[in-house]
Amino acid sequence: MSQITEINSQEDFDTHTSALSPTTLLAISFHTPWAAPCAQMSSILGALAANHPPVSPPTVSFISLNAETLPDISESYDVTAVPFLVLQRDGKVVESISGCDAGKVRSAIERWVREGNKGEAKAKIPEALATQPRAEAENLSNRSALNGANGSSHATKDLSSYAPSASDPATAPAMSGHAGETEALNARLAELVKAAPVMLFMKGTPSTPQCGFSRQLVGILREQGVRYGFFNILADEEVRQGMKVWADWPTFPQLWVGGELVGGLDIVKEELENDAGFFKDYTVGKDKGGMAAPGGQTKPEATAA
């Protein structure tokens, strides 16, 4: 029977996926230790894996990884909640499932396994060879020779002395840019990061965070007594993608202080280890932190409380 492989690093993930056949269905299960439904998803996938005998190449490969310890992989698959299952073949996502609906998971995996089997069987059937009657082939050969002798347009032309002129038609459409749109987005982002002295760009809201990193960072700010504004990047895809480029920081959450990027959860922890008073200018009292009311924001507004 097939087994579920636990992925512990980006290197493990790259090695496993690169070794798969293009026909193999890859089932990627994202989990966290604190989310109870993930244990149920693990049981579901374990039962499904047991139903698939190991063959070469495998019809389906099951892997599991912690969404919090491997955030870059999670971000690349837009994982916003766990458990989260991604089905992939030949490097392309074919379906994703959020939650642990056993029937839905089983149906999706079995359906895509069947699709792979159909494609593999079709690939083994050689294509029919194109044939021509002897007389027709000879006539075509004779016509080609005659056209060449008469200077037909099919004959080879000597273009060695040709040089393009200004009157020649364009060979490709003119390039169009989106500089105006990018500038407008960057201006909006510049306003958002200064909407409050401390701004948290997170997945979800402080009351209902949608990832473990966001949940932990909210806990740190509350414990430190920091008043902060926040923006739910899941509610605005333009801001979500724009921040990655504009801030040159590909993952979330992101904490900004005084309009300057501090970083993610690990960076904030390091700052506090090096300087216990890192947030002293923004606190209202130990364990009394919470959401401040940021101003001057564009819609959708960074939520305030």
Side-chain angles (χ1 to χ4, degrees):
M1 65 179 182
S2 299
Q3 295 181 337
I4 302 175
T5 301
E6 186 67 26
I7 300 297
N8 297 308
S9 67
Q10 180 74 54
E11 183 180 0
D12 288 349
F13 182 79
D14 293 339
T15 300
H16 186 93
T17 54
S18 62
L20 294 177
S21 164
T23 61
T24 299
L25 178 69
L26 176 63
I28 312 170
S29 175
F30 292 90
H31 65 83
T32 59
W34 51 266
C38 291
Q40 184 179 353
M41 173 64 87
S42 179
S43 299
I44 294 170
L45 294 179
L48 290 172
N51 291 332
H52 291 274
V55 294
S56 183
T59 55
V60 58
S61 175
F62 295 87
I63 64 175
S64 176
L65 57 92
N66 189 321
E68 291 185 345
T69 58
L70 296 173
D72 289 344
I73 299 177
S74 302
E75 184 74 20
S76 68
Y77 287 98
D78 288 329
V79 178
T80 59
V82 290
F84 192 80
L85 181 69
V86 174
L87 301 181
Q88 175 177 299
R89 176 174 282 125
D90 195 18
K92 297 179 180 126
V93 175
V94 294
E95 189 170 343
S96 57
I97 302 170
S98 181
C100 55
D101 186 324
K104 190 174 182 179
V105 170
R106 181 182 298 106
S107 174
I109 290 177
E110 297 302 334
R111 180 174 70 256
W112 286 108
V113 166
R114 288 194 300 271
E115 288 293 327
N117 291 337
K118 289 178 185 177
E120 186 175 1
K122 185 176 180 181
K124 292 179 180 178
I125 302 174
E127 294 184 2
L129 296 175
T131 59
Q132 282 183 329
R134 182 184 297 274
E136 182 179 348
E138 290 178 353
N139 288 337
L140 287 173
S141 178
N142 291 336
R143 284 199 296 272
S144 296
L146 181 60
N147 287 338
N150 292 336
S152 167
S153 60
H154 296 288
T156 302
K157 295 181 180 180
D158 181 7
L159 300 176
S160 59
S161 60
Y162 170 77
S165 66
S167 61
D168 286 346
T171 57
M175 293 181 64
S176 60
H178 299 283
E181 296 178 9
T182 301
E183 289 178 3
L185 175 59
N186 289 345
R188 181 187 177 201
L189 298 177
E191 291 181 2
L192 281 175
V193 298
K194 297 177 182 177
V198 178
M199 276 295 295
L200 175 61
F201 291 81
M202 63 179 294
K203 293 181 178 179
T205 66
S207 58
T208 55
Q210 295 298 307
C211 81
F213 290 114
S214 295
R215 178 175 56 84
Q216 291 183 57
L217 196 40
V218 166
I220 289 174
L221 295 175
R222 182 177 294 118
E223 180 184 353
Q224 293 291 320
V226 177
R227 296 288 286 174
Y228 64 95
F230 75 94
F231 190 98
N232 178 10
I233 54 98
L234 299 181
D236 192 317
E237 188 66 16
E238 184 180 47
V239 169
R240 180 181 184 180
Q241 299 304 328
M243 285 289 288
K244 295 178 184 179
V245 178
W246 184 74
D248 194 22
W249 195 271
T251 59
F252 294 95
Q254 294 180 14
L255 188 70
W256 292 71
V257 176
E260 298 292 332
L261 175 65
V262 176
L265 176 63
D266 291 342
I267 302 299
V268 172
K269 286 182 176 179
E270 289 178 9
E271 292 288 356
L272 288 171
E273 288 175 2
N274 296 330
D275 180 10
F278 180 73
F279 289 116
K280 67 179 184 300
D281 294 334
Y282 308 98
T283 59
V284 293
K286 197 71 171 176
D287 295 318
K288 294 182 180 179
M291 296 164 281
Q297 301 170 45
T298 54
K299 292 184 178 180
E301 295 182 351
T303 309

